[in-house]
Amino acid sequence: MKNMFKAFLIKYGEIGIKGKNRYLFEDALIRQIRYALADVEGEFDVTKEQGRIYIECLSDYDYDETVDALKRVFGIVGICPVVHVEDEGFEKLVEEVTAYMDWMYPDKNTTFKVSARRARKNYPLDSMEINRELGGRLLEAFPEIRVDVHKPAIMLNVEIRQKIYIYSEIIPGAGGMPVGTNGKAMLLLSGGIDSPVAGYMIAKRGVKIDATYFHAPPYTSERAKQKVIDLAKLVARYSGPINLNIVNFTDIQLYIYEKCPHDELTIIMRRYMMKISEHLAKESGCQALITGESIGQVASQTMQSLAATNEVCTIPVFRPVIGFDKQEIVDIALRIDTYETSIQPYEDCCTIFVAKHPVTKPNINIIKRSERNLEEKIDEMMETAIATVETIVVE
Ligand code: ATP
Ligand code: MG
């Protein structure tokens, strides 16, 4: 019965999208819908008319796959599968709608209301008349069913257009705003659980995502790098294509290891990650950084440590999971399907150079003093790291 749906009506939030913003919002939403459907088998036409977005299914298509893809598009509040019928007179319409109700709702012990909309004004009945007539005929056809005009269990929408559109289901969408409506930010993407979730959460607010991964070969393997690419791919299912920068961080890490107190390694390393990420962010027009940090999760995420890493940044740093417990982050990771990939056991550069007893309350002045040991070569090393970045478009 699923393949009786020949179109989808897309519902989206309309708060704050008046005037010019509305166009931007709708155009971005259409672009993201097309992107999401590109990989789905079937041919689709996405159009905007009279403040609504329709997806017409021009060929056979996989219903479940299509709905899943649409559920990943930020900005969609509801997905309504639509049945098309030809306009062959009101009697025929009554027949079609009755059949539709019978298919969709085997249990008739429920309430409904007809909500007609006459987009084509030459239809002989106006919307009030359609509501009344159709409602009455359905009551005759299904003695058990009742009308509830205030809180119907089934809102039966009938839209008179060139064809007649019938729909009553609303599948919840991802919410948020279409990617591309709120600027761009640089995600520090590691192979862990938290950073893919952080990227997802900011993309959900309409922000386009670029990403940077710090790779430390041979201490971190090709497989660890591939894992990050795989994670970027999973985030891109929601955010659209991601430019993933892979920074070779080995020399900088070894240099810090050689020159600085080992209990400060993680903090100093993280400060250089932030600096390089900010440089790459500015280069590619990103207005902020994103990390997967959460207060107190590890030594490098205490309030003092966060202050120490934040201190090198001049653009905003978004930490959307800052107040989340690990389990709450895991729950999102499971929902967006990044968890299984994140828990694959490949080392990352932070764990390899980690000290046994890292400082948990770094003092910025002491950290800065340690960093003076790096003065001789660090600028050149950062330049080299930036000049040798490998950028992959992940989609
Ligand atoms: P995650 O699960 O995201 O890896 P984590 O709990 O392992 O986080 P840390 O390793 O302290 O925490 O990293 C904190 C944040 O710093 C990460 O969420 C990520 O944004 C960034 N980060 C850490 N390591 C890297 C890396 N190798 N490349 C890019 N970003 C990194
Ligand atoms: Mg990590």
Side-chain angles (χ1 to χ4, degrees):
M1 88 152 241
K2 272 167 180 172
N3 56 8
M4 72 187 203
F5 297 118
K6 289 288 181 285
F8 295 90
L9 169 67
I10 298 303
K11 302 214 177 238
Y12 48 93
E14 295 184 28
I15 299 159
I17 56 162
K18 301 259 147 55
K20 184 173 156 254
N21 286 340
R22 187 187 179 100
Y23 282 96
L24 295 175
F25 187 100
E26 289 169 338
D27 291 349
L29 187 53
I30 289 172
R31 191 178 59 236
Q32 293 304 113
I33 290 172
R34 288 191 178 130
Y35 175 77
L37 293 178
D39 283 343
V40 176
E41 195 136 338
E43 205 186 320
F44 304 94
D45 188 25
V46 188
T47 54
K48 167 170 81 172
E49 41 175 307
Q50 299 170 355
R52 308 181 135 216
I53 291 176
Y54 285 101
I55 302 166
E56 301 284 346
C57 312
L58 305 176
S59 66
D60 284 346
Y61 67 100
D62 184 318
Y63 175 87
D64 293 324
E65 214 188 304
T66 305
V67 170
D68 279 349
L70 293 173
K71 279 182 176 170
R72 290 192 299 266
V73 178
F74 297 132
I76 295 182
V77 172
I79 304 155
C80 307
V82 175
V83 169
H84 282 171
V85 299
E86 296 293 337
D87 177 13
E88 292 167 340
F90 188 72
E91 279 310 311
K92 184 78 172 123
L93 179 63
V94 170
E95 243 173 68
E96 301 272 18
V97 171
T98 307
Y100 171 89
M101 288 293 280
D102 213 14
W103 268 322
M104 291 288 285
Y105 307 102
D107 178 7
K108 303 294 183 305
N109 182 14
T110 183
T111 60
F112 81 106
K113 170 187 176 178
V114 179
S115 171
R117 183 175 140 123
R118 197 172 54 152
R120 176 158 59 78
K121 295 298 173 204
N122 66 0
Y123 196 76
L125 281 72
D126 70 21
S127 43
M128 291 300 282
E129 290 167 331
I130 300 170
N131 289 346
R132 211 170 37 234
E133 275 303 310
L134 209 46
R137 300 290 291 270
L138 287 168
L139 286 172
E140 280 171 29
F142 308 117
E144 255 190 298
I145 210 165
R146 284 153 288 130
V147 168
D148 183 340
V149 288
H150 301 296
K151 273 197 157 183
I154 301 164
M155 178 67 90
L156 177 63
N157 294 281
V158 176
E159 271 184 38
I160 313 290
R161 312 170 74 83
Q162 259 343 85
K163 289 182 178 164
I164 299 172
Y165 290 23
I166 305 168
Y167 62 92
S168 57
E169 289 288 281
I170 303 180
I171 301 161
M177 321 253 305
V179 170
T181 54
N182 274 323
K184 185 158 78 159
M186 179 67 75
L187 169 67
L188 280 82
L189 181 63
S190 69
I193 295 168
D194 309 329
S195 46
V197 170
Y200 160 86
M201 287 177 72
I202 297 299
K204 185 166 189 278
R205 298 306 305 158
V207 178
K208 189 167 166 17
I209 303 287
D210 275 352
T212 300
Y213 166 57
F214 293 88
H215 187 42
Y219 303 98
T220 55
S221 64
E222 276 304 296
R223 197 58 197 80
K225 170 174 150 185
Q226 186 57 46
K227 177 183 170 184
V228 173
I229 297 170
D230 293 344
L231 283 170
K233 229 176 241 175
L234 292 170
V235 176
R237 280 153 56 97
Y238 293 89
S239 68
I242 293 176
N243 295 316
L244 172 64
N245 302 309
I246 296 164
V247 179
N248 187 324
F249 203 47
T250 313
D251 290 348
I252 293 176
Q253 273 192 312
L254 290 175
Y255 190 48
I256 298 172
Y257 191 78
E258 180 193 333
K259 298 283 186 187
C260 299
H262 287 185
D263 61 346
E264 293 170 8
L265 276 184
T266 310
I267 294 294
I268 295 175
M269 207 175 75
R270 306 233 353 99
R271 281 163 61 91
Y272 282 99
M273 279 188 186
M274 295 301 246
K275 275 191 202 177
I276 294 170
S277 300
E278 174 166 316
H279 184 99
L280 295 171
K282 286 179 173 166
E283 243 177 30
S284 61
C286 294
Q287 296 119 326
L289 300 179
I290 306 165
T291 77
E293 291 161 311
S294 149
I295 295 173
Q297 198 187 78
V298 286
S300 59
Q301 296 176 29
T302 63
M303 291 294 269
Q304 293 85 349
S305 298
L306 289 167
T309 35
N310 201 70
E311 197 253 350
V312 300
C313 301
T314 65
I315 59 176
V317 181
F318 298 144
R319 300 176 174 89
V321 301
I322 195 73
F324 283 8
D325 296 347
K326 193 72 187 187
Q327 188 57 46
E328 293 173 298
I329 303 171
V330 165
D331 289 344
I332 300 175
L334 284 168
R335 188 156 52 76
I336 67 173
D337 218 21
T338 54
Y339 183 75
E340 284 302 319
T341 304
S342 288
I343 60 170
Q344 286 172 10
Y346 299 103
E347 68 296 325
D348 78 45
C349 63
C350 296
T351 49
I352 282 164
F353 291 86
V354 82
K356 279 216 181 62
H357 301 288
V359 282
T360 54
K361 295 184 179 171
N363 173 310
I364 290 181
N365 293 323
I366 295 174
I367 297 288
K368 281 182 168 169
R369 198 183 316 145
S370 304
E371 284 179 352
R372 266 187 242 141
N373 301 338
L374 305 170
E375 260 168 10
E376 195 189 330
K377 289 206 251 167
I378 194 72
D379 286 347
E380 194 190 315
M381 287 178 136
M382 288 216 296
E383 274 168 36
T384 306
I386 288 162
T388 58
V389 164
E390 176 195 2
T391 303
I392 309 176
V393 181
V394 178
E395 50 190 341

